[in-house]
Amino acid sequence: MKLSLNPNAPDRRLLDESRRTRAMTWIMAIMVFLTVLAGALGLGMFAATAQLDRQLAGRLTIQIVEPDAAVRDSQVKALRTALPRVAGVTRVAEVDRERLAELLKPWLGDTGLDPDLPMPAMIDVETRGGNGAVVEQTARAIAPGARIDRHAQWLSPVRGFMTTMSWLAVGLMLLIASATAAVVLLAARSGLDTHRDTIDVLHMLGSTDVQIARLFQRRIAFDTLLGGLLGTVAALGLVWFLQSRMALVGSEMLSGVALQQRDWFLLLLVPLGFALLATFAARRTVLRALGRTL
Amino acid sequence: MASIVQFENVGLRYGSGDETLSDISFSLNTGAFYFLTGPSGAGKTSLLKLLYLAQRATRGTVRIFGEDAGALPRTRLPGFRRRIGVVFQDFRLVPHLSAYDNIALPLRVAGVSESDIEAPVREMLAWVGLTDRGRAKPPTLSGGEQQRIAIARAVIGRPELLVADEPTGNVDPDMAERLLHLFDSLNRLGTTVVVATHDFHLLNRIPNAHMMRLEKGRLNDPTGALRNPPRGAA
Ligand SMILES: Nc1ncnc2c1ncn2[C@@H]1O[C@H](COP(=O)(O)OP(=O)(O)OP(=O)(O)O)[C@@H](O)[C@H]1O
Ligand SMILES: [Mg+2]
C-alpha cells in the first residue's frame, strides 16, 4: 500500500468511494475562503503599517517660536548646518516663509503678512533608521525654545488601530484553522464508523494502523486541497476586486494596503497549509481511534 | 517436533457472562493438519479467534510462533497476522472490491508490487474455479462463490498458519473436496492447517489429520494427546 498519484491505484479503492460525500470539500472551500480573506486583511494592514512607519516615523518638524527675528534666523541657520551632519538624517528643509504665511492666512487674515508679526520658522527633517532622538537633542542644544513635533506621535492612534486589525486577522486565521482541525476530527471519526467493516478486515489481514490512517489522510488531504483551491481562487478574486476599487479612491493611505507580489504568494500557501493541517489531524484521529482497538 | 501454537489453561469470557471457553490446553505441531469439531455454540469460532489474534484470552496463556500473544504490543500484531491466513465463518469479503481485489488484498497489505500480484491472484482464481468471476463484486456472487473467494484470499500469502472456520459450509460435496484438497496441498508445503467443521465426511479425507473436539467450551481430550502430542506425529 504505497502512496501513488494514480487515481486507479488499487489502494485508492480500498475505502468505498461511493460512500464519499462532497461536504468536506465545500466546508474546506469556505474555511479557506475565510482564512485567505483574513490573511489578506492582515497582510494589507501589515503593509500599510510598514508604509506609515517608513513615511512618517522618521519625520519631524522643528518649530522655532522666537520673537526676535535675528535670533530666530541665526538659530535656523545653525540648525540647517548642524542637522544634516547627524547620522541618519536624509533631508533638512526650511518650510518656505511665504508658503507658511499662506497656510496661516485663513486664521490670521491679511495681517499674517505683516512683517512685524513674529512668524515661527519651521524646519522639516527626515531621518532614516529612527534617529529622531539625536535630532531632537541636537536641535534643543541649538534652539532651547524649539517645539519639536514627531509625526509618528500624532499618527500613533491610526497606527495602533492598524496593528489591532493585523492581530485580529491573525486571531481569525487561528480560529478558523482550529475549527478546521475539529471538522477533520469529526469527519475522520465518522469515516472510521462508515468503513468499520473494511478496516476490521484490513486489520485482520495484517494492515498496520499507519497504513489505514494513510487511506483517510489521503482522502482528506485531497478534499481539502480541492476545496482549498476553490476557496483561495474565490477569496483572491474578491481581494483583487476590492483592491481595484480602492485604487480608484486614490488615497495615499489606502494604497499602502495594497498587496505585494509576496503577499499574493503567501496567500496561495493557505490551501497548502490547510491540507497539511487536515492531513495531520486526520492521521492523529485515526491512529488514536485505532489504538483503542485490538 | 516444534509446536507453532500452545494454549495453557486458556479461558475466554465475553462481557460478564459465563466463560465461553474454559481450561483449554493444547499445542499444535508445526506442519500438521487439525480438524476442530463440536456442536454449534460450543465455542469453535471463539477458539479460532484466539488463534488468529482477533481476541485476547481472559486468562491463561496463548503462545503463537513462540511468543505470548497476550503480551504482544499492538505494533507487532500486523506482523503476526500476516503469517496467519484466515477463512472467516462469515467470509468478511470487502463488498465494494472485486473478487480479484479481495484475493489480492493480503499481498497488497504486505506491500507486494503490482507486477507480482497478478499471476498468483489468477492462479488462485483458477484453483477455486472462479477464473471468469474476477471482476464480480461479492454481493453479486453466490454464497459458495463468496466462500471460495474467501479461501483464495486466506491462502494466497502462503501463510505459516491457516485457520478456516467452516470453509465448506456453503459448497456442494465435490467443491468441498476440492477445497479440502487445496488445504492439503498447502499443508504439504509446510503450512499448519486448522479447519473447524461440522462436516463429518471431510474428516476422513485427510488421513493424517488430528481431531480436536469442543463441547460447551471445553476441549475433549481424554487421552491428553492434544496437550502433549506424541513426538513424530503428523
Ligand atoms: N462477540 C460475542 N459476544 C458475546 N458472546 C459471544 C460472542 N461471540 C460468541 N459468543 C457466544 O459464545 C458462544 C460460542 O460461540 P461460537 O461462535 O464460538 O460457537 P461455534 O462453536 O463457532 O458455533 P457455530 O458452530 O454455530 O459456528 C455462543 O454461546 C455465543 O453466543
Ligand atoms: Mg462458529
Side-chain angles (χ1 to χ4, degrees):
Chain A
M1 291 209 298
K2 277 171 272 154
L3 264 181
S4 143
L5 292 174
N6 171 11
N8 291 319
D11 52 333
R12 284 281 145 104
R13 303 188 300 253
L14 283 181
L15 299 182
D16 190 355
E17 290 291 319
S18 68
R19 300 219 197 161
R20 194 164 176 169
T21 70
R22 281 270 84 95
M24 196 62 185
T25 310
W26 286 116
I27 292 173
M28 288 305 176
I30 293 167
M31 293 296 196
V32 171
F33 176 78
L34 294 175
T35 308
V36 170
L37 281 188
L41 173 70
L43 288 171
M45 284 299 150
F46 274 125
T49 315
Q51 169 163 325
L52 204 62
D53 288 348
R54 252 196 329 276
Q55 289 180 343
L56 299 171
R59 276 199 207 174
L60 33 83
T61 305
I62 302 168
Q63 253 187 77
I64 298 165
V65 193
E66 175 58 60
D68 186 336
V71 175
R72 182 191 67 195
D73 288 348
S74 76
Q75 284 183 353
V76 168
K77 210 169 154 218
L79 282 171
R80 291 187 60 175
T81 33
L83 287 179
R85 295 200 195 116
V86 175
V89 171
T90 51
R91 200 179 78 101
V92 177
E94 189 181 354
V95 179
D96 187 38
R97 203 62 59 83
E98 263 153 44
R99 166 117 181 85
L100 204 59
E102 197 95 329
L103 288 170
L104 290 173
K105 219 157 106 180
W107 283 277
L108 301 178
D110 288 341
T111 44
L113 296 170
D114 182 350
D116 289 341
L117 195 77
M119 278 271 283
M122 285 174 86
I123 300 171
D124 270 345
V125 183
E126 282 180 30
T127 66
R128 217 183 11 213
N131 226 351
V134 184
V135 172
E136 214 171 314
Q137 265 177 8
T138 314
R140 285 214 187 287
I142 295 168
R147 281 182 52 192
I148 296 166
D149 231 0
R150 289 203 201 196
H151 293 200
Q153 237 151 22
W154 55 265
L155 267 170
S156 77
V158 177
R159 199 186 182 284
F161 173 75
M162 294 201 309
T163 310
T164 309
M165 292 295 278
S166 305
W167 286 114
L168 180 69
V170 171
L172 281 177
M173 290 174 81
L174 290 179
L175 269 183
I176 300 169
S178 59
T180 303
V183 167
V184 169
L185 187 140
L186 292 178
R189 281 206 189 144
S190 92
L192 282 171
D193 268 349
T194 309
H195 303 288
R196 165 128 311 147
D197 292 345
T198 306
I199 292 169
D200 279 350
V201 171
L202 288 174
H203 259 155
M204 281 304 131
L205 297 181
S207 274
T208 60
D209 293 350
V210 171
Q211 280 177 318
I212 292 168
R214 212 177 279 151
L215 300 175
F216 285 90
Q217 260 166 258
R218 192 168 41 201
R219 273 182 164 214
I220 287 177
F222 179 80
D223 287 353
T224 309
L225 213 51
L226 184 67
L229 287 177
L230 287 176
T232 306
V233 167
L236 289 185
L238 181 60
V239 170
W240 180 80
F241 171 74
L242 289 177
Q243 199 153 298
S244 59
R245 297 307 294 266
M246 230 151 53
L248 291 181
V249 175
S251 147
E252 197 179 326
M253 182 101 100
L254 281 181
S255 77
V257 179
L259 297 184
Q260 308 300 307
Q261 208 171 1
R262 188 204 50 187
D263 298 336
W264 292 102
F265 176 73
L266 282 177
L267 291 177
L268 278 175
L269 292 181
V270 170
L272 289 180
F274 268 63
L276 281 179
L277 170 76
T279 307
F280 179 74
R283 182 185 177 86
R284 251 186 85 89
T285 310
V286 172
L287 288 182
R288 285 185 138 208
L290 292 180
R292 284 192 286 269
T293 62
L294 178 65
Chain B
M1 174 153 310
S3 61
I4 192 168
V5 172
Q6 290 146 301
F7 277 45
E8 272 168 45
N9 295 316
V10 170
L12 174 66
R13 186 195 302 273
Y14 293 110
S16 56
D18 291 340
E19 275 193 328
T20 297
L21 296 173
S22 300
D23 303 327
I24 307 275
S25 298
F26 65 85
S27 60
L28 303 184
N29 289 334
T30 308
F33 199 117
Y34 294 85
F35 280 114
L36 176 63
T37 63
S40 180
K44 299 184 292 299
T45 300
S46 303
L47 194 151
L48 296 187
K49 276 186 183 165
L50 293 172
L51 268 184
Y52 57 73
L53 301 171
Q55 193 82 55
R56 291 205 205 256
T58 25
R59 63 184 176 87
T61 330
V62 174
R63 295 181 73 80
I64 293 178
F65 303 131
E67 298 213 40
D68 183 351
L72 277 182
R74 235 189 105 64
T75 48
R76 293 193 60 204
L77 287 175
F80 272 65
R81 286 175 177 150
R82 287 178 195 183
R83 299 163 70 182
I84 306 171
V86 187
V87 183
F88 301 96
Q89 191 166 11
D90 51 358
F91 316 145
R92 303 243 201 135
L93 298 176
V94 180
H96 62 271
L97 293 184
S98 67
Y100 180 101
D101 284 333
N102 265 287
I103 296 175
L105 216 43
L107 300 183
R108 291 196 172 128
V109 162
V112 176
S113 73
E114 281 305 305
S115 54
D116 294 336
I117 283 180
E118 177 153 4
V121 174
R122 298 255 167 251
E123 189 189 340
M124 284 323 305
L125 275 169
W127 245 110
V128 296
L130 292 172
T131 301
D132 51 346
R133 302 294 275 147
R135 288 161 172 272
K137 300 271 165 80
T140 68
L141 295 171
S142 76
E145 286 170 333
Q146 291 182 40
Q147 190 152 42
R148 280 136 71 190
I149 299 295
I151 290 170
R153 184 180 70 184
V155 303
I156 192 165
R158 292 267 165 85
E160 292 167 53
L161 174 64
L162 177 72
V163 178
D165 199 351
E166 302 280 356
T168 57
N170 291 273
V171 297
D172 59 69
D174 283 350
M175 181 50 75
E177 206 158 315
R178 190 177 156 78
L179 294 175
L180 201 64
H181 183 56
L182 175 62
F183 293 157
D184 191 30
S185 310
L186 206 65
N187 179 237
R188 285 169 202 278
L189 290 172
T191 297
T192 309
V193 179
V194 183
V195 177
T197 185
H198 284 134
D199 188 347
F200 286 98
H201 299 291
L202 290 181
L203 302 182
N204 312 320
R205 298 288 171 186
I206 310 283
N208 291 328
H210 301 270
M211 301 295 160
M212 299 169 76
R213 186 165 171 80
L214 264 182
E215 288 191 46
K216 293 185 184 151
R218 287 175 185 273
L219 197 61
N220 197 337
D221 184 20
T223 64
L226 289 168
R227 183 163 192 157
N228 300 302
R231 306 229 149 224

